[in-house]
Amino acid sequence: MSNQDRPELPYGVVPPGYRLPDATRVGRVRLQVAELTRSVAYYERVLGMSVLERDDTRAVLGAEGGAEPLVELHQRRSAAAVPPGGRLGLYHYAILLPDRAALGRFTVHLREIGIRAGASDHLVSEALYLQDPDGLGIEVYADRPRSSWRYENRQLAMATEPLDLESLTRAGDGERWTGMPAGTTIGHVHLHVGDIGEAEAFYHRGLGLDKVVWGYPGALFLSAGGYHHHLGVNTWARGADPAGEDDARLLDWELVLPSEADVQEALGALTIAGYGADPAGAGRSASDPWGTRVRIRAASSGN
């Protein structure tokens, strides 16, 4: 279905050429960490993830009882922690819980184990913010119903406001947190970039994500299918260098498209736009101007 044939949303700006399918979603994120055992312990105790696979240098984690990997950790003993100002690359990746009640239970869980978290109301969602042992950013959030999202002049309304933690806690109905529930996914990825215009060229005009929010100071939010964002980019780490081989960092993140034909179209669009897409095998991917790699796969190809 072409851009013209798809129903027009009341908000957002579609790319001028190729446009990703509405059913596009984010898949697993792959992270480089300094100490695998330390990181796995954090993911199990704090986030409530389950280990799906593990060897001496790699671990794959997912939700409780879930078969789909959410996070893949790779150990590099020399990896340096993220400095306070951040590096170009990962700002945070975001774990989307299936409902507000789960986020309420998670809020109580963090309080009980003595973990401090940032908290924000983004109008379209409610979110908690953490850092793993290497300083890599993590958001855990729940969406508000799409029917409640507001927009003006084709731009979705998003903000950073205080979160009503008491209301969120009550949403948990007094039930205990028992781990990341079934239905948990990676909702979005948010990146530090060097320039918004260059990021727009790669992710909007090249890869084919819609622009959804562009008036947020120093940031741009993009998505497929009218979601509030599958990707955020910002210039808040001004003067920082891109994360390197010896840094704790995001190795890559996945965009999952409905079909193999969609994957080929997306890779072809990036190539036409002047970005070197790697079309080979399961590792089909491209890197943005700051070296952050996005892998593109079909949902039918599995995990």
Side-chain angles (χ1 to χ4, degrees):
M1 183 182 292
S2 71
N3 286 353
Q4 290 73 29
D5 294 334
R6 286 155 70 175
E8 184 178 4
L9 292 166
Y11 56 86
V13 176
V14 303
Y18 174 72
R19 187 184 185 197
L20 286 167
D22 289 348
T24 297
R25 62 181 176 85
V26 178
R28 82 173 80 181
V29 295
R30 294 178 175 86
L31 306 171
Q32 181 163 278
V33 299
E35 295 183 26
L36 187 64
T37 297
R38 179 182 66 176
S39 292
V40 168
Y42 179 90
Y43 276 80
E44 289 181 316
R45 174 175 176 264
V46 177
L47 296 179
M49 286 192 179
S50 302
V51 176
L52 306 179
E53 301 175 34
R54 183 172 178 180
D55 59 30
D56 290 342
T57 60
R58 171 181 169 273
V60 179
L61 302 106
E64 192 173 88
E68 180 165 353
L70 300 178
V71 177
E72 186 173 313
L73 303 174
H74 291 257
Q75 178 174 274
R76 188 180 182 98
R77 284 287 187 184
S78 61
V82 178
R87 301 187 181 99
L88 300 187
L90 184 69
Y91 178 51
H92 64 246
Y93 70 90
I95 300 166
L96 175 59
L97 298 179
D99 51 45
R100 191 170 191 254
L103 186 62
R105 291 190 286 272
F106 183 66
T107 302
V108 174
H109 161 69
L110 293 181
R111 185 182 305 155
E112 289 176 342
I113 64 174
I115 298 294
R116 295 175 63 92
S120 294
D121 185 332
H122 294 305
L123 306 183
V124 295
S125 62
E126 296 172 287
L128 301 176
Y129 292 92
L130 301 157
Q131 288 186 330
D132 80 357
D134 292 283
L136 296 167
I138 303 167
E139 176 182 343
V140 181
Y141 76 112
D143 281 334
R144 287 198 168 96
R146 285 201 188 196
S147 59
S148 71
W149 298 359
R150 297 181 288 107
Y151 54 89
E152 185 176 358
N153 297 325
R154 300 205 60 83
Q155 186 169 194
L156 193 64
M158 288 177 58
T160 300
E161 298 181 349
L163 182 60
D164 187 342
L165 288 168
E166 289 188 12
S167 172
L168 189 57
T169 297
R170 289 195 299 271
D173 294 326
E175 296 182 24
R176 296 194 63 81
W177 174 257
T178 58
M180 288 283 172
T184 298
T185 63
I186 301 296
H188 65 265
V189 172
H190 195 153
L191 305 173
H192 285 307
V193 298
D195 182 85
I196 293 295
E198 289 185 59
E200 178 184 336
F202 180 87
Y203 289 110
H204 173 62
R205 285 177 274 156
L207 183 56
L209 288 165
D210 294 357
K211 292 194 297 183
V212 182
V213 180
W214 52 90
Y216 206 94
L220 173 66
F221 297 90
L222 308 104
S223 75
Y227 191 53
H228 57 72
H229 67 297
H230 290 111
L231 175 68
V233 296
N234 72 67
T235 54
W236 303 334
R238 289 194 180 278
D241 294 323
E245 289 188 3
D246 288 324
D247 295 324
R249 61 188 175 113
L250 175 67
L251 293 170
D252 57 57
W253 61 288
E254 279 185 343
L255 270 181
V256 183
L257 278 53
S259 72
E260 178 61 28
D262 294 316
V263 172
Q264 292 299 324
E265 281 194 82
L267 291 169
L270 282 167
T271 300
I272 290 169
Y275 301 103
D278 171 15
R284 292 167 296 182
S285 61
S287 293
D288 75 9
W290 305 277
T292 300
R293 183 167 291 273
V294 55
R295 294 183 181 271
I296 304 171
R297 71 168 175 87
S300 57
S301 67
N303 300 316

